[in-house]
Amino acid sequence: MTVEEKRGIMGREGGPGENFPVGMRVLAVDDDPICLKVLETLLIRCQYNVTTTNQAIKALNMLRENRDRFDLVISDVHMPDMDGFKLLELVGLEMDLPVIMLSANGETKAVMKGITHGACDYLLKPVRIEELKNIWQHVVRRRKLDRKERRCLDNGEDCEKLQAANSEGTQATDANGPVNDNGKVNKKRKDQNDEDEDDYEEATHESEDPSNQKKPRVVWSVELHRKFVAAVNQLGVEKAVPKRILDIMNVDKLTRENVASHLQKYRLYLKRLSAVASQQANMAAALGGRDTSYLHMGSFNGFGNFHGLTPFQPSGVSNRTNPKLLGLPGLAPGMVQIGQTRNNTNIPMNDLSKFQHIAVPVNQHENLFQGIPTSLELDHLQQKQKGINELNNHLQGVFSGPSNSNLICTTNKSLLLQGHQQQTQLRGIGNQPPVAIRSTGVDRLEMSSVVSVHLPDLGKCSETWQNTPSLNAYGVNSLSTGVPYNDDSMISSNMGTSLTSTVAQLHGNPLNMSSNNLLVTTQDSLIRHDMQCQTSSLGGTTLLMSSGIADPKFLSFRSLGNVEQKSNDPKQQNALGPNIAFSSSCNSTLSNQTLLNNVAENQRLKNRIYNKKIDTIMINQPSFDTAFITQYAKTDKSHCDNRLTFCEDNMFGASKMQGDFVSNNCNFDDLMNSTIKPERDDIGFVVDGELGSDLFSLSTCL
Amino acid sequence: MASIPGPDACPPTVRLNYPTAKLSLFLLLSLSSGPHYLIKKDRERKHRKPASKTGLPVWMLGMGAGRWEEDMSHLLALLFRQGVLDEHFMQLQQLQDESSPNFVLEVISIYFRESEKLLRNIRTLLLDRECTDYRKIGVYLNHLMGSSSSIGANLVRNVCVAFRAASEHCNWAGCLRSLAVLEHEYCYLKNKLHELFQIEQQRVLAAGVRYHPLLQ
């Protein structure tokens, strides 16, 4: 290995050489010595320079000490000291190197997870030499894209089109081609830039051939990123331009290009989160069926200072003081999506205060950070809507009990829940509710439908629920992963209920409230129907909205918790288990805002509530300490029929958000109060690493 | 050549076909240029050719290496047919060259070591029915699957897949059964691979004999 290291060091630094891909410097990380040895030999056979290590930490250190030492990283997924996905994210964010994941597990979920975390490829063990012969394309592609991005961002153009165009990897693949093409492309871009540049002082820089230019890589440490995020927040994520960010950050040795490319990545990341959030929101909408018009971006604005990155301030939204619903940036986009998808439900976003978001980052691997990448969830949502409608019908009369007005479900969650088909975890929840809410196959949906069942008294809740959608925007993601929810639609109803409780008027039915809560988003049909059911104790569940990171499942989870069928007493209703609070704040700045933790301690939903213990673990986004908190929920079946198996062990520096609600014992009074009283600013976000309470799956709401 | 770990963990199901001890003794005797003493087997009689100048049978002069190769290819063909090994094992063999002459042997040795550890761990986990950590079993299985598939141990890998299914359903009895099958298949693989290595050793020895100065 020493020899190889030396070879690696002696290799070129910076751009590709003439013999590329020969001599490409690869770092291989795998805890299995056999695979590592075989991989190493194969790579040597492909004429790459290989460095190997069996520990992820060592690999990171190697990468950090000299960013230009490697061109590509290949990493195993399952490693004892650090999760492969986490390593992947860290490398991607800090060093901007292409990372290839390697695993024996080829299931679609796992692959999807890899891709959403930013892997540029996912290989299955056993690795074949033919596959390894082609991995150099990722290096080339990234280089090209980086250059284009930087130029674009500097110009303030929207480089995404460019990216989209390039993302298919259509660059010339012959070894010498890339260099030339880059040169040509760069020149072209320069010309275009020159034509419409406004303050593009550095045009002269770009005129040099970028492929020959060696730019020392900037390491985006946590501190640096925090500053960056703060600057972006200050400017507004949509309006942030690299130059201004740079000025605000006031860090020397940082060039605009660095900032520009980092900004690009950051935006993509937010998009991803919001996609997840929107899914959740869709789920919620499905449950609630309210008009999700508010979901539009405009509604975000209505929420006060909500804008991309800043925490969601419900101020505009509701008269009630809303606890800091996290205005997760991710939500915004999600919200928009929600709005688009459907909705008949009007979930007034106003009463955010009433909403307590349940951010249940159940997701095992997916910390909120990942979110659900696609907006195909929206499509799913639509499907679900139909299903939800059916479910709603079923739900009528099924649920009874006090509705929990406190239930604030982040719409995102519901949406995400609904939308996200991949979130099979929600399935587990779905099974729970007795009401046969059949979602159209999305697990999440089920959650929403379930939620809707327990709607708190409409009277109280109606307005508040409306707000939830906004909250839902936050990555309900938390729920998305890992929890295997059964396919019953119950989950959706649960979601709905939780959400609905916060939703003010659901169609005038008392049940509407419940439906609102989760759904906030688009699905009003569900909610409406749900409304008809008696709103039950949605009460206790407080949803934690995490800024974009909340696992949708969690959200729904929470909402389930809120749905308590039996009593009108809000306290009781929150038998819905644990509040899974996740707040994933995109930025460090979000820490205060973010979590709406829904610590649904009301566990133990007597009837059919899934009582699963959900231990939520806050998972922080790897690079930002406070930023992302994802909870990892472990469920242990206690009362529920459904099995929620959250098996994820995602632990990235968990940070706990302290909120009013402490897990396990839902403070229903507080919940109720919080939702009702606008003055309350802090709706307890309690994010505990260990919810410990019997978290029931969402389906238990019923 | 590095020493091959003996099949200690597995029941000795393999009986070596070739009297390696006798062979080495014979070689020793022949090389010391004492009276040649042939251990004739029926098979050898068939191939016996007129003795060369040195008086040793021709098959001793390195042409016997062909026999070992033949045996090796027979064994490999058998294992491929049975599905015990697949093309990744071939890939492994192709990776062995002058720069890494003992590559296959090293990798397989590491594989044996790691797999036995994993199997032991899994068995320990399954001791207690009530508090079996299925998730951990899944992790170990994943590990075993990855390494088995990397060296081309197809059958072991397939058994792991079935085992994993049982562990995902938290089926204790099923897990136990799967573990028994897994251990059996693993032992069979190990024995066969040992056999393969020994044939290879003989082959190298036989090929080397040809160039012995005394035999020229």
Side-chain angles (χ1 to χ4, degrees):
Chain A
M1 185 151 134
T2 348
V3 174
E4 281 136 9
E5 276 171 340
K6 285 202 197 123
R7 269 192 273 162
I9 293 167
M10 279 170 13
R12 278 171 320 288
E13 298 214 356
E18 283 98 30
N19 256 353
F20 193 83
V22 171
M24 184 175 79
R25 296 151 306 156
V26 182
L27 174 64
V29 189
D30 193 337
D31 66 321
D32 184 356
I34 299 145
C35 297
L36 195 61
K37 192 161 172 76
V38 172
L39 183 65
E40 180 187 354
T41 314
L42 285 172
L43 289 170
I44 292 174
R45 196 49 71 88
C46 297
Q47 296 180 290
Y48 301 139
N49 282 336
V50 186
T51 313
T52 60
T53 173
N54 61 351
Q55 286 173 27
I57 316 261
K58 255 200 254 173
L60 257 183
N61 291 339
M62 276 198 267
L63 286 166
R64 280 181 179 147
E65 72 187 49
N66 184 358
R67 287 186 68 195
D68 279 333
R69 195 172 146 198
F70 298 105
D71 296 316
L72 179 69
V73 180
I74 300 184
S75 162
D76 184 31
V77 166
H78 299 281
M79 288 191 286
D81 57 342
M82 185 193 292
D83 186 29
F85 293 117
K86 185 175 174 198
L87 176 67
L88 162 61
E89 285 172 2
L90 282 173
V91 172
L93 269 165
E94 291 183 26
M95 286 134 235
D96 192 22
L97 281 176
V99 182
I100 294 180
M101 302 305 291
L102 201 57
S103 174
N105 182 3
E107 292 170 6
T108 310
K109 301 193 263 185
V111 179
M112 176 64 76
K113 193 168 175 193
I115 303 300
T116 57
H117 274 97
C120 49
D121 203 352
Y122 193 103
L123 299 179
L124 294 186
K125 288 184 188 174
V127 188
R128 292 199 316 273
I129 197 166
E130 298 85 16
E131 294 174 348
L132 290 179
K133 288 211 165 108
N134 280 335
I135 56 175
W136 57 267
Q137 60 177 284
H138 303 291
V139 178
V140 171
R141 187 178 305 136
R142 188 163 287 223
R143 282 212 187 101
K144 255 194 148 168
L145 283 177
D146 269 352
R147 289 203 193 96
K148 287 197 181 143
E149 278 172 32
R150 289 192 194 135
R151 192 159 291 107
C152 275
L153 286 171
D154 282 340
N155 284 344
E157 289 172 34
D158 179 35
C159 283
E160 284 159 18
K161 291 182 241 153
L162 254 187
Q163 254 198 337
N166 289 333
S167 63
E168 304 317 308
T170 52
Q171 292 87 345
T173 50
D174 67 308
N176 296 329
V179 178
N180 299 335
D181 285 350
N182 280 342
K184 282 191 229 138
V185 166
N186 292 333
K187 290 208 176 67
K188 246 193 260 173
R189 288 233 42 82
K190 184 172 87 81
D191 293 338
Q192 291 171 14
N193 293 344
D194 287 343
E195 282 163 25
D196 54 0
E197 67 176 50
D198 21 338
D199 58 341
Y200 191 35
E201 305 89 285
E202 273 113 31
T204 48
H205 270 315
E206 306 303 327
S207 56
E208 302 171 28
D209 186 357
S211 53
N212 297 339
Q213 217 175 10
K214 259 193 256 179
K215 302 184 184 83
R217 280 227 182 97
V218 171
V219 177
W220 282 92
S221 65
V222 176
E223 281 309 314
L224 205 56
H225 184 81
R226 252 193 228 131
K227 277 198 195 155
F228 169 81
V229 170
V232 173
N233 283 346
Q234 212 175 315
L235 295 170
V237 76
E238 296 301 319
K239 299 203 197 74
V241 259
K243 182 162 195 301
R244 304 225 31 224
I245 296 175
L246 193 60
D247 295 337
I248 296 177
M249 280 177 73
N250 199 19
V251 170
D252 59 349
K253 293 214 187 99
L254 200 64
T255 68
R256 196 159 83 178
E257 290 81 18
N258 299 132
V259 174
S261 65
H262 196 75
L263 177 67
Q264 178 101 34
K265 276 188 277 178
Y266 188 63
R267 284 202 175 122
L268 289 175
Y269 160 73
L270 294 181
K271 261 218 193 88
R272 189 168 60 195
L273 286 179
S274 69
V276 178
S278 60
Q279 276 182 348
Q280 292 172 347
N282 287 340
M283 294 284 289
L287 291 177
R290 296 284 310 184
D291 178 12
T292 55
S293 53
Y294 63 87
L295 292 176
H296 293 279
M297 281 308 276
S299 58
F300 278 105
N301 299 333
F303 290 111
N305 341 342
F306 178 86
H307 53 109
L309 299 174
T310 58
F312 182 69
Q313 304 291 345
S315 52
V317 174
S318 67
N319 24 345
R320 308 216 190 149
T321 56
N322 179 9
K324 320 174 182 232
L325 294 175
L326 304 174
L328 293 172
L331 286 180
M335 301 282 299
V336 181
Q337 295 175 17
I338 296 171
Q340 296 158 6
T341 47
R342 55 196 96 227
N343 323 69
N344 356 3
T345 52
N346 289 316
I347 304 179
M349 297 295 283
N350 313 332
D351 293 336
L352 285 176
S353 57
K354 292 196 195 158
F355 296 98
Q356 295 176 338
H357 291 276
I358 303 172
V360 178
V362 170
N363 196 349
Q364 312 145 357
H365 302 297
E366 300 173 24
N367 37 12
L368 297 179
F369 188 71
Q370 312 190 4
I372 300 176
T374 65
S375 55
L376 35 88
E377 279 122 5
L378 292 181
D379 300 334
H380 298 303
L381 282 176
Q382 284 172 351
Q383 294 169 11
K384 296 197 196 138
Q385 277 224 299
K386 292 195 212 126
I388 294 174
N389 290 337
E390 299 163 12
L391 292 173
N392 287 335
N393 296 330
H394 293 295
L395 285 177
Q396 295 183 15
V398 173
F399 302 99
S400 60
S403 57
N404 183 6
S405 54
N406 298 335
L407 192 59
I408 298 176
C409 297
T410 57
T411 49
N412 290 340
K413 292 224 183 108
S414 49
L415 285 178
L416 288 174
L417 287 172
Q418 294 167 353
H420 201 311
Q421 284 182 349
Q422 281 146 10
Q423 316 284 352
T424 52
Q425 293 102 0
L426 290 180
R427 263 178 292 131
I429 298 181
N431 291 337
Q432 302 271 336
V435 175
I437 300 176
R438 282 257 82 332
S439 57
T440 51
V442 173
D443 302 335
R444 304 281 166 27
L445 254 184
E446 312 166 87
M447 301 193 52
S448 46
S449 51
V450 171
V451 173
S452 51
V453 173
H454 306 280
L455 293 177
D457 299 332
L458 287 182
K460 327 180 204 172
C461 317
S462 43
E463 303 77 74
T464 55
W465 296 117
Q466 315 266 334
N467 297 331
T468 50
S470 56
L471 295 176
N472 289 343
Y474 288 106
V476 184
N477 315 344
S478 53
L479 287 175
S480 47
T481 58
V483 181
Y485 288 87
N486 302 329
D487 282 336
D488 298 351
S489 45
M490 299 310 259
I491 299 180
S492 49
S493 56
N494 287 343
M495 292 270 300
T497 48
S498 48
L499 289 176
T500 52
S501 53
T502 54
V503 175
Q505 12 140 305
L506 294 173
H507 310 278
N509 296 350
L511 287 182
N512 285 346
M513 292 239 331
S514 54
S515 54
N516 288 341
N517 46 354
L518 280 180
L519 297 177
V520 201
T521 53
T522 52
Q523 320 258 356
D524 57 334
S525 49
L526 247 194
I527 296 178
R528 263 187 256 119
H529 291 282
D530 292 337
M531 295 302 166
Q532 320 210 349
C533 308
Q534 303 206 358
T535 62
S536 55
S537 49
L538 282 182
T541 55
T542 48
L543 297 174
L544 293 174
M545 278 298 290
S546 49
S547 43
I549 304 188
D551 189 323
K553 286 215 203 117
F554 243 76
L555 197 48
S556 48
F557 215 68
R558 289 257 149 246
S559 45
L560 285 178
N562 294 337
V563 177
E564 166 69 50
Q565 312 143 352
K566 305 307 161 167
S567 56
N568 289 324
D569 182 5
K571 290 191 198 156
Q572 297 174 2
Q573 45 179 184
N574 297 336
L576 294 179
N579 305 326
I580 304 174
F582 260 81
S583 59
S584 48
S585 39
C586 302
N587 328 334
S588 48
T589 57
L590 283 177
S591 37
N592 28 349
Q593 346 160 317
T594 46
L595 298 183
L596 296 179
N597 256 337
N598 207 359
V599 193
E601 318 314 334
N602 340 321
Q603 18 194 278
R604 245 118 13 169
L605 232 27
K606 311 295 169 44
N607 24 339
R608 319 190 288 211
I609 291 184
Y610 333 53
N611 296 316
K612 303 245 164 118
K613 259 204 174 162
I614 298 183
D615 300 327
T616 58
I617 300 174
M618 306 282 284
I619 301 174
N620 276 341
Q621 181 185 3
S623 33
F624 316 113
D625 298 343
T626 58
F628 303 102
I629 301 173
T630 53
Q631 285 186 353
Y632 166 84
K634 278 188 314 191
T635 59
D636 83 7
K637 329 174 181 199
S638 33
H639 312 281
C640 310
D641 314 331
N642 294 343
R643 289 175 281 110
L644 285 180
T645 56
F646 297 91
C647 304
E648 294 297 349
D649 289 326
N650 275 342
M651 304 279 313
F652 296 96
S655 48
K656 288 192 173 189
M657 305 279 295
Q658 296 301 321
D660 299 347
F661 300 102
V662 182
S663 55
N664 276 345
N665 295 319
C666 206
N667 188 344
F668 297 119
D669 283 343
D670 286 349
L671 283 175
M672 285 305 294
N673 293 339
S674 59
T675 56
I676 295 174
K677 287 188 246 159
E679 309 76 41
R680 276 249 333 228
D681 282 332
D682 246 1
I683 295 194
F685 302 159
V686 179
V687 174
D688 289 344
E690 296 286 309
L691 280 187
S693 54
D694 305 341
L695 284 180
F696 44 89
S697 54
L698 292 177
S699 51
T700 54
C701 297
L702 299 177
Chain B
M1 230 184 180
S3 60
I4 309 171
D8 46 322
C10 301
T13 57
V14 167
R15 201 170 50 80
L16 287 179
N17 296 331
Y18 309 99
T20 53
K22 286 193 211 164
L23 187 64
S24 4
L25 179 64
F26 182 86
L27 274 174
L28 207 58
L29 289 174
S30 327
L31 293 176
S32 58
S33 65
H36 51 262
Y37 168 62
L38 290 173
I39 299 170
K40 294 203 165 67
K41 295 167 87 177
D42 288 346
R43 224 165 133 184
E44 292 163 18
R45 269 182 223 282
K46 270 189 262 168
H47 298 297
R48 193 155 46 140
K49 297 203 175 107
S52 67
K53 289 182 211 167
T54 62
L56 283 173
V58 167
W59 69 265
M60 280 294 301
L61 294 174
M63 284 161 67
R67 211 241 293 346
W68 302 111
E69 280 159 9
E70 198 181 306
D71 289 337
M72 196 158 166
S73 57
H74 279 158
L75 182 57
L76 275 177
L78 171 72
L79 292 175
F80 276 104
R81 239 194 344 262
Q82 291 176 330
V84 175
L85 293 178
D86 63 10
E87 71 272 7
H88 285 96
F89 189 74
M90 304 301 298
Q91 180 176 266
L92 207 70
Q93 287 183 314
Q94 283 159 9
L95 288 178
Q96 177 161 304
D97 57 8
E98 301 78 32
S99 64
S100 51
N102 293 328
F103 178 70
V104 180
L105 188 62
E106 286 164 12
V107 172
I108 302 281
S109 310
I110 303 174
Y111 172 70
F112 287 150
R113 204 175 51 230
E114 291 289 313
S115 311
E116 272 151 37
K117 233 193 307 178
L118 288 171
L119 286 173
R120 264 200 301 276
N121 290 345
I122 295 178
R123 184 154 276 287
T124 312
L125 282 175
L126 279 175
L127 281 178
D128 188 350
R129 184 179 192 141
E130 300 312 314
C131 43
T132 309
D133 188 350
Y134 290 105
R135 195 193 62 84
K136 215 147 180 227
I137 291 180
V139 169
Y140 285 138
L141 279 178
N142 210 12
H143 197 137
L144 188 61
M145 263 174 68
S147 40
S148 303
S149 53
S150 296
I151 64 159
N154 192 39
L155 192 51
V156 171
R157 180 185 160 275
N158 291 343
V159 176
C160 285
V161 172
F163 194 162
R164 190 169 63 175
S167 81
E168 276 168 6
H169 291 112
C170 302
N171 176 0
W172 188 73
C175 284
L176 274 184
R177 275 196 300 273
S178 303
L179 180 62
V181 173
L182 183 62
E183 284 172 340
H184 173 81
E185 290 303 332
Y186 170 77
C187 283
Y188 180 75
L189 173 75
K190 188 169 181 185
N191 287 331
K192 289 298 173 198
L193 286 176
H194 275 300
E195 198 177 322
L196 210 64
F197 285 135
Q198 274 161 347
I199 297 176
E200 174 68 14
Q201 255 186 338
Q202 298 313 316
R203 189 189 68 79
V204 169
L205 261 181
V209 164
R210 165 190 242 143
Y211 301 108
H212 193 281
L214 286 180
L215 299 176
Q216 301 306 329

